[in-house]
Amino acid sequence: MPMMPDDATLEAWCAAAAALRDLPIDKGDPAEIIANLRVIARQIALIEAVALDDLAEPAPVFRA
Amino acid sequence: MTREILRATAGEIAAAVSSGKLSARAVTEAALAEIAARDPQLNAFTDITRDRALAKAKILDAENKPRALAGVPYAVKNLYNIAGLVTRAGSKINRDNPPAMADAFVVERLDAAGAVLLGALDMDEFAYGFTGENVHDGNSLNPHDPRHMAGGSSGGSAAAVASGMVAFALGSDTNGSIRVPASLCGLFGLKPTYGRLSRRGVFPFVASLDHVGVLARSARDLALVYDAMQGRDAADPAQAPRAIEPVLPLIEEGGAGLRVAIAGDYFRRGGRPECFAAVDRVAAALGAKRETILPEAGAARAAAFVITAAEGAAFHLARLRQRPQDFDAAVRDRLFAGAMIPAESYLRAQRLRAWFHRRVAALFAEVDIILTPATPCRAPLSGQKTIEIEGAEVPVRANLGIYTQPISFIGLPALTVPLWSEGEVLPIGVQVIGAPWREDLVLRVAHDLERKGIARAPVA
């Protein structure tokens, strides 16, 4: 997903992802899904704005 | 008599039942009567376990043995397994599941401590919300003014405790779902450290963020219940291998000597003036003058948002494909969007999580307690979609958790303490935050504020 995409890009992303992931988005509200993607894109941009070096590992979700 | 019993704290009820001054049956019947009288208006309960409760009370009276929670009436958010009931997790879809074969781990622990389970409580669908509103089971309403929302997602839990139908209730907290309704309904609400309490038998939402916790009308009751729920459970892989660390014996130590700071920057923006005034009142009562900055808290909140959407969607993917029409439409469309998040963005959010955790852990070398608002506002009206903050109309649902999300993101123990302003019907909460595994400190501070008359949780 590009940072801060416009609505046309979001619509294309939504259609492609739904097809690839077999998501029945026709049972949902397309405008709402796009609105949610717009919010997610804003959150991703905020995350991307924080500089992390290559050694910054993801938080662990597994404990052996 | 009924009202007198139900205004008592869990500790007072347990002491009276343990000493034989009050029977567990009398308490249970009083609570059932109160539920019959109040719940039709507040819509807190989705199931009432009357037979189980009366059977438990009978056993307790026959045993006549002191127990930490003897005869104390409580209820659980309906994502906790209760043997014999379907765990609906606020959904229509789960109603087709078979009944749970056993109680959740923490329900087993509370049962062993003598608590009496009265039923299951309303919640936002699959815990994905902050309003306590549910299209399938109806909205839980705020006992202090039923025109207003209870908050969520543990909305039924908050409504049941604030109204006095039960002495305490279990909720769950992924992004603020205990601390937000505690703030809106005027309760003490504890989210322990991530990995402290077992989640076995609790329907998941976001595995890497889910916590179990409790709402009550006093800090001492929180400690009492929290201590009873502690215990090692190998069946929860996220539970940390720690010994039981009781907090009740420490609670009288109060806040003296603790280094308390107000969180600045992000936590002093985005709210209505009353939420910052509440933090300032608490800070003044604790003698806190210093400010501390949690770096990149806005990005931390954003990362919690992305992890929630991605993991929540992954968890519900089969249900999204097979039964999209049976979701709450708003939840479904959020999950659809979450299912489209690239793996790189999810992993970036998890990297930020580790980074933020290290930065905030360093702050605890200088301070013991950090104060923030619990919510940016008092309870909005039930069904209200936007609220005015700093001159702009912003969505209620997305903004109620702005101050809680960065904290649960890194698993810190956090507790909402409730405050009332002169002439105000509705309360607002302050979040008291400690370093990992320092539930004792947040509970000591909450108890101290209660003793000083700053925080209180009256029955509505």
Side-chain angles (χ1 to χ4, degrees):
Chain A
M1 184 181 287
M3 287 176 68
M4 302 310 293
D6 58 24
D7 278 5
T9 306
L10 287 174
E11 285 165 16
W13 181 278
C14 181
L20 285 166
R21 305 216 64 202
D22 190 24
L23 297 172
I25 58 168
D26 56 313
K27 299 291 197 295
D29 179 341
E32 280 300 310
I33 298 169
I34 297 294
N36 280 295
L37 280 173
R38 196 179 300 122
V39 173
I40 287 169
R42 277 204 300 270
Q43 308 310 310
I44 290 173
L46 284 169
I47 298 167
E48 298 280 351
V50 180
L52 298 174
D53 66 42
D54 287 348
L55 297 180
E57 294 189 5
V61 292
F62 173 77
R63 190 168 26 229
Chain B
M1 184 62 179
T2 298
R3 282 281 162 86
E4 280 176 32
I5 293 171
L6 298 174
R7 284 174 192 275
T9 66
E12 290 165 345
I13 292 170
V17 171
S18 289
S19 67
K21 288 181 185 159
L22 196 60
S23 72
R25 183 176 181 90
V27 179
T28 303
E29 287 180 341
L32 287 167
E34 192 70 359
I35 292 168
R38 301 289 304 276
D39 197 53
Q41 182 191 29
L42 299 175
N43 196 43
F45 281 81
T46 53
D47 302 271
I48 296 168
T49 51
R50 179 187 180 85
D51 291 348
R52 171 177 168 147
L54 290 169
K56 176 71 177 177
K58 189 175 178 182
I59 291 168
L60 291 168
D61 289 336
E63 286 181 350
N64 194 25
K65 191 166 102 178
R67 291 176 192 268
L69 292 167
V72 177
Y74 81 107
V76 299
K77 187 173 183 175
N78 70 26
L79 48 59
Y80 283 81
N81 281 355
I82 298 172
L85 281 188
V86 171
T87 307
R88 63 173 79 181
S91 72
K92 177 181 177 184
I93 293 170
N94 278 25
R95 292 182 199 188
D96 294 341
N97 292 347
M101 299 289 286
D103 290 340
F105 177 86
V106 290
V107 174
E108 287 175 0
R109 299 283 300 179
L110 294 172
D111 193 71
V116 176
L117 179 66
L118 288 177
L121 299 160
D122 197 18
M123 58 181 282
D124 292 74
E125 187 184 56
F126 291 127
Y128 206 174
F130 284 126
T131 61
E133 296 170 344
N134 185 298
V135 296
H136 313 296
D137 294 313
N139 300 347
S140 292
L141 300 175
N142 195 310
H144 293 286
D145 183 342
R147 294 173 301 168
H148 293 258
M149 63 176 62
S153 65
S154 308
S157 303
V161 180
S163 62
M165 290 190 277
V166 291
F168 71 90
L170 300 190
S172 66
D173 190 317
T174 302
N175 283 297
S177 285
I178 287 173
R179 293 161 289 158
V180 167
S183 176
L184 302 193
C185 288
L187 295 169
F188 293 84
L190 173 66
K191 182 206 76 63
T193 308
Y194 180 78
R196 170 71 85 175
L197 298 177
S198 169
R199 303 176 305 187
R200 169 158 56 96
V202 182
F203 195 79
F205 173 29
V206 180
S208 70
L209 294 171
D210 288 343
H211 305 68
V212 300
V214 56
L215 301 97
R217 295 192 299 272
S218 77
R220 175 175 282 279
D221 279 359
L222 286 186
L224 189 62
V225 175
Y226 166 71
D227 280 354
M229 291 196 293
Q230 289 190 59
R232 188 79 185 100
D233 177 18
D236 179 357
Q239 196 191 30
R242 293 182 72 90
I244 291 174
E245 297 172 283
V247 295
L248 191 60
L250 307 172
I251 200 167
E252 294 298 337
E253 291 181 18
L258 296 180
R259 300 165 298 172
V260 182
I262 302 169
D265 191 39
Y266 173 89
F267 292 98
R268 298 297 288 188
R269 301 193 302 266
R272 292 175 63 88
E274 54 265 32
C275 80
F276 305 122
V279 172
D280 293 343
R281 273 177 68 197
V282 167
L286 296 172
K289 293 186 174 66
R290 65 193 297 173
E291 185 180 83
T292 192
I293 306 293
L294 281 66
E296 303 290 356
R301 188 240 176 180
F305 188 101
V306 168
I307 291 170
T308 299
E311 281 193 41
F315 177 63
H316 287 292
L317 195 57
R319 282 176 282 271
L320 276 174
R321 285 176 176 147
Q322 292 158 14
R323 299 183 62 175
Q325 72 282 1
D326 291 331
F327 280 84
D328 173 334
V331 171
R332 178 195 57 216
D333 293 339
R334 286 202 292 277
L335 291 173
F336 271 144
M340 301 173 187
I341 293 174
E344 188 275 329
S345 296
Y346 171 80
L347 286 169
R348 177 94 185 180
Q350 287 286 10
R351 289 174 69 205
L352 184 70
R353 187 183 196 187
W355 179 92
F356 186 61
H357 179 256
R358 282 196 300 277
R359 295 300 182 283
V360 176
L363 300 178
F364 283 108
E366 304 293 327
V367 303
D368 299 304
I369 293 289
I370 299 172
L371 305 174
T372 77
T375 52
C377 57
R378 296 190 179 94
L381 292 166
S382 183
Q384 187 175 333
K385 299 299 180 204
T386 62
I387 187 163
E388 187 266 320
I389 290 178
E390 295 176 341
E393 285 291 317
V394 299
V396 167
R397 187 192 59 75
N399 279 271
L400 282 175
I402 58 171
Y403 301 130
T404 52
Q405 281 179 282
I407 307 306
S408 35
F409 179 53
I410 49 172
L412 303 178
L415 191 156
T416 291
V417 295
L419 275 76
W420 264 261
S421 301
E422 186 70 34
E424 283 290 344
V425 173
L426 293 170
I428 192 160
V430 171
Q431 196 174 202
V432 178
I433 301 157
W437 318 112
R438 298 313 305 265
E439 286 85 352
D440 58 327
L441 299 188
V442 298
L443 282 157
R444 277 171 51 187
V445 167
H447 184 57
D448 196 31
L449 292 167
E450 205 175 356
R451 280 191 308 203
K452 288 174 171 161
I454 301 296
R456 59 191 178 88
V459 172

